[in-house]
Amino acid sequence: MAISAADAASTRPSRLQIARITGFARRLRDGLELWLEAERDQLVLWLPVALGAGITAWFILSLTYQWRALIFALGAVALIALATGRGGRAGRVVAIGAATMAIGLALIWWRAAGYAGRTLTGPTIATFEAKVEQVQPLPPRQLVRLRLTPLRVVAVPDSHQDRRSRRRRPDALPVLPAHLRVNIADADVPAGLVPGATIRLGARLMPPAEPAVPGAYDFARVAWFGDLGGTGRAFPPIEIVTPGPVANNGLRDRLSRHIQASVPGGAGGIATALATGDQGAMPEVDADAMRRSGLAHLLSVSGLHISAVVAATMFVVLRLLALWPWLALRFQLRLFAAAAGALAAIGYTALTGWEVPTVRSCVAAVLVIVALMLGREAITLRLVAAGAFLVLLLFPDALAGPSFQLSFAAVATIVALHEHPRVHGWFMKRDEHWLRKVGREIASLLLTGFVVEVALLPISLFHFHKAGVYGAVANIVAIPLTTFVTMPLEALALLFDLVGAGAPFWWLTARSLDLLLWIAHSTASIPGSVAALPSMPGGAYALMVAGGLWIALWRTRWRRLGLLPLIAGATWALLTPAPDLLVTGDGRHVALRTADGGLALLRDRTGDYVADMMTENSGADGEPMLLADQPDARCSRDLCLAERVAGGRHWRILATRSAYLLPTDQLVTACATADIVISERRSPARCRPRWLRLDRATLAHTGGVAIALSSASVRTVRSGIDEHPWRVTTAPHRPGRRKEQQ
């Protein structure tokens, strides 16, 4: 059908319409420029956010071509923004942000490729010689944990499979990774086991484990960036081949043993953690109370501990130097005190083992000291952003861990809160009666604690699936007690131990730590003290993080828009149904939600770690029960059949619970009456449940599985091809695929 010239002309935009569109675009651009001009002091704060966004994109995307495509796309965006920005601030902001994001993605990619050492691909039993790198005693578990560098494999068990491989190649022995982590029972530890020694031992080794169920701890990722290729448990005899130097027993190890001898029990475990960062001496019951009460951050050497050491060092050095009038009249003593504080921070970091969280806190402390030496305001959001940017450049993989997120979120929240003009006006120092001053300080602590707890709640729920509800109140007492009482007393005790007079100070230290443990246990025992949430969708968490950053980093009224993604993410997380059924990747362990909201486990002998992991990821709180004890389940030695009503449907779940083979006809008949069948073995092809079969073959492709029966939704640990190095190296062997060369 032909269109007349008049009709064609009528469809073209008129000059008036073009002018209106052009004017709107110009006003939008001018408004954006005015807004960015008003926020020009805050723009630099988004540099670490852009760097972190690039790192996050690499973790989210799973294929190499996607990483390359995003880097090129970001580079194109940066060039287009520079070309079309006409010198405006908006164009520069977009260009710098896109380029920084591309740098972050390339940086974490390069960092991950740098750990391309060998990782075990399956269980391995071998006798080998290795050099001891680290020795970490774990008294509550009666274990000693070693980090080893294998030197040579001495022998392997004479199994049928090994005999076949040696017939093909008589000298074939497994090649072990560059670094291993091995646990040794206390009774098997030989005398002289110190870093630097060479030992001969036998061990059953396993590759670093991927998440057992969706949302669980990804040890494979952590081990990859920790350059750890396998873990296991040693069996005796363990021999010292070459003794290590006595000095390598380490100041940290000797100090830990001395503190535990001076302060026994859980108090000694906390005292050791405060001094050396070694949490291995903490009894599990006390560690759990600290977590449930929101006080677990006191056990990790972080900004709080580094700050206390730096402040104490600067105070003492400044007072001592002030006693020398000649020096005090000619030099600025605060420069000497600041230098001493920086050295103390670095020395304390070295003492606690150069752990990433401690290094991060040390970097931040040194930046604060440099600001003080230059006469600048010490604690600002710019300083926090500089610390985060530097840490991400050095340790980009730290972004994925809860330690980085919790520490920088807490500091940024505190600084942003007290930089707000209204809050700053409420709590600024002024001449007033001491009662009003004390009340103002208490109000400041309460408000700060509450806001920090709210800010950290999504992070805790995302990573740990639970958070202490009353942590803000507990920290009001616990943080000053630890900072101003316990740590100075412990420092005095160690100092007076040099002349054998530290006993009174150790007694006082123990009493202060007993008070801290009482606070932790009392808080943890309050009903409703822990908020539990099942595995949170990544999209919901990203929305909450984006909203929180938007609110914290902007200053104009547009910051209020951050409430929209914050509320949307929180709503999404709360409305996400809890999984009714959890199955580990090996098919051995199954957890089913009961009608009253509890959790029931398939196997009678489930380890504490597996039970805790299942409970946390299901969003339940409390001790799990046994499936065999439930009224809606029928269990024998080999099988369990459970029934649930969810989503308007009656579900029948069949799971094997022993290593014995069942008669095929009997199993096939049972499968036909079940909706879901779970087995750690490969099921026969005729086993066809009504909805889903999770046997060894299926789970080898999916990994752990979480199922919400109410919505009939399934989440898996693995989803398609994943080219992250720890996923590639730990991918299961598929039939017909050639095995990797040993």
Side-chain angles (χ1 to χ4, degrees):
M1 177 177 172
I3 300 177
S4 64
D7 292 336
S10 65
T11 60
R12 298 172 188 163
S14 64
R15 292 184 179 180
L16 180 60
Q17 290 174 327
I18 294 175
R20 287 176 178 175
I21 294 173
T22 305
F24 175 76
R26 187 181 298 110
R27 289 193 300 273
L28 183 63
R29 185 194 63 192
D30 293 342
L32 181 60
E33 290 290 342
L34 288 174
W35 175 55
L36 292 177
E37 176 64 24
E39 296 277 12
R40 64 182 183 276
D41 292 337
Q42 307 299 114
L43 296 178
V44 70
L45 304 180
W46 289 90
L47 276 177
V49 177
L51 190 69
I55 296 171
T56 303
W58 184 83
F59 280 109
I60 293 175
L61 301 176
S62 57
L63 300 177
T64 302
Y65 84 87
Q66 294 174 337
W67 305 333
R68 291 197 183 102
L70 184 55
I71 290 177
F72 285 123
L74 290 170
V77 169
L79 293 176
I80 293 172
L82 288 176
T84 61
R86 299 181 181 179
R89 192 182 298 275
R92 295 197 302 271
V93 167
V94 172
I96 294 174
T100 306
M101 187 174 173
I103 291 172
L105 196 157
L107 182 64
I108 184 63
W109 190 1
W110 170 77
R111 178 85 172 185
Y115 290 111
R118 179 177 172 79
T119 301
L120 291 175
T121 56
T124 301
I125 300 178
T127 300
F128 58 97
E129 292 183 359
K131 185 175 182 180
V132 180
E133 294 183 19
Q134 296 176 0
V135 179
Q136 181 186 8
L138 302 174
R141 299 171 57 184
Q142 298 181 340
L143 294 173
V144 173
R145 178 169 291 169
L146 305 181
R147 182 181 172 96
L148 304 174
T149 300
L151 301 177
R152 68 186 184 95
V153 178
V154 177
V156 295
D158 191 22
S159 65
H160 175 67
Q161 182 177 0
D162 292 328
R163 285 199 302 270
R164 287 190 303 168
S165 64
R166 281 198 291 272
R167 280 198 298 268
R168 293 193 302 266
R169 182 180 172 186
D171 60 342
L173 288 173
V175 178
L176 298 181
H179 302 281
L180 294 170
R181 193 183 75 184
V182 175
N183 291 336
I184 302 177
D186 282 344
D188 300 329
V189 176
L193 184 63
V194 297
T198 301
I199 61 175
R200 179 184 291 116
L201 72 162
R204 186 178 189 274
L205 304 171
M206 297 289 292
E210 66 180 7
V213 295
Y217 179 61
D218 191 352
F219 179 66
R221 173 181 58 80
V222 176
W224 180 267
F225 287 103
D227 200 12
L228 197 64
T231 63
R233 181 149 184 163
F235 44 81
I238 300 168
E239 306 173 14
I240 302 292
V241 177
T242 304
V246 177
N248 266 1
N249 196 21
L251 174 61
R252 184 188 186 195
D253 182 56
R254 296 198 303 272
L255 189 59
S256 296
R257 295 180 184 275
H258 175 72
I259 293 173
Q260 292 166 29
S262 303
V263 183
I270 299 179
T272 303
L274 294 177
T276 67
D278 181 8
Q279 300 182 33
M282 276 288 295
E284 184 57 32
V285 61
D286 292 332
D288 183 64
M290 295 290 285
R291 287 191 294 267
R292 295 174 66 88
S293 61
L295 303 179
H297 65 93
L298 298 175
L299 302 177
S300 300
V301 176
S302 57
L304 174 66
H305 309 81
I306 295 287
S307 300
V309 170
V310 169
T313 302
M314 292 180 64
F315 177 81
V316 172
V317 170
L318 191 62
R319 291 297 182 269
L320 290 177
L321 293 179
L323 298 176
W324 189 359
W326 181 86
L327 186 68
L329 293 174
R330 289 169 173 79
F331 299 96
Q332 292 189 16
L333 298 185
R334 70 174 185 175
L335 297 180
F336 294 97
L343 292 176
I346 296 172
Y348 188 40
T349 303
L351 176 64
T352 54
W354 296 104
E355 300 292 338
V356 172
T358 316
V359 172
R360 182 178 63 246
S361 301
C362 180
V363 169
V366 171
L367 289 175
V368 171
I369 291 171
V370 171
L372 288 173
M373 295 175 70
L374 295 177
R376 305 291 297 272
E377 188 176 353
I379 307 297
T380 63
L381 278 177
R382 287 197 171 203
L383 179 67
V384 177
F389 192 81
L390 183 58
V391 169
L392 289 178
L393 286 178
L394 296 175
F395 310 103
D397 54 289
L399 178 68
S403 178
F404 176 92
Q405 298 174 22
L406 287 169
S407 58
F408 275 102
V411 175
T413 300
I414 293 172
V415 177
L417 175 67
H418 287 272
E419 280 188 355
H420 191 281
R422 184 172 299 177
V423 177
H424 183 71
W426 288 345
F427 302 120
M428 66 183 301
K429 293 183 178 180
R430 63 194 71 185
D431 293 330
E432 58 185 350
H433 192 270
W434 69 271
L435 285 176
R436 292 180 61 87
K437 182 177 181 180
V438 171
R440 195 181 300 276
E441 293 293 337
I442 294 176
S444 175
L445 286 174
L446 283 171
L447 178 63
T448 303
F450 174 76
V451 174
V452 169
E453 287 296 323
V454 171
L456 300 186
L457 186 63
I459 303 176
S460 299
L461 291 175
F462 179 75
H463 288 283
F464 309 118
H465 314 295
K466 61 176 61 178
V469 176
Y470 306 119
V473 179
N475 276 289
I476 291 175
V477 180
I479 290 178
L481 174 66
T482 304
T483 306
F484 301 115
V485 179
T486 302
M487 293 187 69
L489 285 174
E490 188 170 356
L492 289 173
L494 292 171
L495 180 64
F496 277 86
D497 269 347
L498 297 176
V499 294
F505 296 100
W506 283 123
W507 185 87
L508 292 173
T509 301
R511 301 293 75 76
S512 68
L513 291 172
D514 288 340
L515 177 58
L516 179 64
L517 284 173
W518 178 83
I519 294 172
H521 284 279
S522 300
T523 305
S525 62
I526 299 175
S529 62
V530 175
L533 195 72
S535 180
M536 184 188 304
Y541 181 60
L543 284 173
M544 286 189 282
V545 171
L549 288 171
W550 189 273
I551 292 172
L553 301 186
W554 292 131
R555 283 293 171 265
T556 60
R557 66 177 183 272
W558 294 103
R559 69 190 301 182
R560 300 168 188 168
L561 290 176
L563 290 173
L564 297 179
L566 190 63
I567 295 173
T571 304
W572 184 1
L574 292 174
L575 294 180
T576 299
D580 298 293
L581 185 65
L582 291 173
V583 183
T584 57
D586 56 7
R588 286 181 51 82
H589 300 287
V590 178
L592 179 66
R593 186 175 297 276
T594 60
D596 59 357
L599 202 68
L601 302 178
L602 173 67
R603 294 182 179 267
D604 298 343
R605 297 181 179 180
T606 302
D608 292 339
Y609 172 78
V610 174
D612 292 342
M613 180 269 299
M614 291 286 205
T615 303
E616 289 176 1
N617 285 274
S618 68
D621 187 31
E623 293 295 325
M625 300 166 285
L626 293 178
L627 187 58
D629 297 336
Q630 302 307 304
D632 53 359
R634 301 191 304 275
C635 295
S636 66
R637 184 184 62 177
D638 303 316
L639 284 173
C640 260
L641 178 64
E643 300 185 13
R644 281 290 312 276
V645 176
R649 177 176 175 178
H650 186 270
W651 297 86
R652 290 170 60 88
I653 302 162
L654 180 69
T656 62
R657 64 195 303 254
S658 76
Y660 294 100
L661 294 175
L662 298 172
T664 302
D665 293 340
Q666 180 182 346
L667 181 59
V668 169
T669 302
C671 288
T673 63
D675 296 287
I676 302 173
V677 173
I678 305 165
S679 176
E680 63 179 301
R681 298 185 298 273
R682 183 185 294 271
S683 301
R686 290 186 295 151
C687 175
R688 297 173 182 173
R690 291 193 289 254
W691 190 61
L692 182 64
R693 182 176 68 183
L694 297 174
D695 62 354
R696 182 177 181 180
T698 304
L699 292 171
H701 292 277
T702 64
V705 176
I707 302 174
L709 298 177
S710 57
S711 57
S713 61
V714 180
R715 292 194 302 127
T716 60
V717 169
R718 303 176 194 160
S719 55
I721 301 174
D722 193 336
E723 295 183 351
H724 289 107
W726 59 91
R727 288 280 182 264
V728 172
T729 53
T730 58
H733 171 66
R734 292 178 175 82
R737 181 181 173 185
R738 193 174 177 180
K739 291 185 178 180
E740 295 184 15
Q741 184 178 356
Q742 295 292 321

